[in-house]
Amino acid sequence: MPSLRTDLASPNHDARPDGAPIDMLVLHYTGMETAAAALARLTDPAAKVSAHYLIDEDGAVRALVAENRRAWHAGVSAWRGETDVNARSIGIELVNPGHEFGYRDFPARQIDALADLCRGILARHPIPARNVVGHSDVAPRRKADPGERFPWAALARLGIGLAPQPAAVPHWGLAWTEPALARYGYDIADPHAALAALQRHFRPKRIDGLPDRESAELLAGLLAAVEETV
Ligand SMILES: [Zn+2]
């Protein structure tokens, strides 16, 4: 059982706004060459970034910010019209060099530790499945983490997030897809970036940001799963 370390708390946090519910969970990769470099940055007051938790590739979990405080992980972002994602979310960083420094699979021990941590978070806070998102989902023009190697479908089987069943769509062009992306929660300022984020999360074998039937049917399945009219 990996240990939970709380001795390396980050100074980078502030108060959540009064009345802000904790109803989002945002997953990241660190995108740095080493775990030590990521930890140093997440605890450096000058960097002004943090997350509630950092999970090393061996499954060791570090609590950096208390859950009732606002950690600074999402940056400029939006989900379902909320632009202060940090105010409402728990942020978890997974050690991985990321696309810039050698993106690689997340080890099973790391994902097992993440699943345990997420189960606890979901028990403590009213976070709906659709609000378990990646950084790329809330910042599709800027971010690609935790990326297409992240095992979203496996986590969904454990009750963490959604894995859609495809549902029929009237047509699958951008005219249908773009408003459907917005209904599900994506910022569609750049609809191709938003579609690429959907694909990275739910259809990782092809991420081109271009509309296609499979992407549209998965999106329809997501909307059906959250009980909205398709
Ligand atoms: Zn991130």
Side-chain angles (χ1 to χ4, degrees), residues 28-29 73 93 135 143 145:
H28 303 258
Y29 66 46
H73 54 95
E93 289 276 0
H135 201 185
K143 295 293 178 178
D145 65 305

Side-chain angles (χ1 to χ4, degrees), residues 5 44 47 59 82 89 114 125 159 175-176 179 202-203 205 214 216:
R5 298 185 57 175
D44 176 2
E82 174 61 72
S89 62
L114 173 68
H125 304 286
W176 184 87
F202 297 104
R203 207 278 304 272
K205 69 178 185 289
E214 186 179 37

Side-chain angles (χ1 to χ4, degrees), residues 1 7 12 27 31 34 51 63 65 69 90 94 155 157 160 162 166 174 180 197-198 204:
M1 189 72 189
D7 54 319
N12 299 327
L27 306 184
T34 66
V65 173
R69 301 284 293 174
I90 302 283
L94 296 154
L155 285 178
R157 287 193 290 274
I160 301 161
L162 286 174
L174 207 56
L198 176 101

Side-chain angles (χ1 to χ4, degrees), residues 15-192:
R16 292 186 188 270
D18 281 348
I22 298 174
D23 63 1
M24 294 185 65
L25 179 55
V26 183
L27 306 184
H28 303 258
Y29 66 46
T30 52
M32 298 189 72
E33 288 179 271
T34 66
L39 180 61
R41 180 167 162 76
L42 291 166
T43 56
D44 176 2
K48 297 192 186 321
V49 295
S50 61
H52 294 91
Y53 298 98
L54 173 67
I55 306 181
D56 210 329
E57 289 182 299
D58 67 2
V61 178
R62 287 184 173 86
L64 301 179
V65 173
E67 290 184 1
N68 65 350
R69 301 284 293 174
R70 175 167 59 185
W72 305 339
H73 54 95
V76 176
S77 52
W79 187 247
R80 299 173 69 186
E82 174 61 72
T83 55
D84 191 348
V85 169
N86 287 338
R88 297 175 64 147
S89 62
I90 302 283
I92 301 176
E93 289 276 0
L94 296 154
V95 171
N96 189 300
H99 294 88
E100 190 174 348
F101 295 111
Y103 190 39
R104 58 196 184 213
D105 286 344
F106 296 87
R109 280 183 298 182
Q110 188 181 30
I111 296 302
D112 289 347
L114 173 68
D116 281 351
L117 179 62
C118 288
R119 275 191 286 254
I121 290 167
L122 295 174
R124 287 190 289 277
H125 304 286
I127 301 174
R130 75 191 288 184
N131 284 4
V132 177
V133 294
H135 201 185
S136 54
D137 292 310
V138 301
R141 285 182 288 179
R142 299 190 303 118
K143 295 293 178 178
D145 65 305
E148 61 278 5
R149 291 176 185 266
F150 184 78
W152 288 109
L155 285 178
R157 287 193 290 274
L158 300 174
I160 301 161
L162 286 174
Q165 293 297 314
V169 289
H171 51 85
W172 49 262
L174 207 56
W176 184 87
T177 302
E178 183 175 336
L181 285 164
R183 279 222 308 285
Y184 188 64
Y186 287 94
D187 173 5
I188 55 164
D190 178 342
H192 293 288

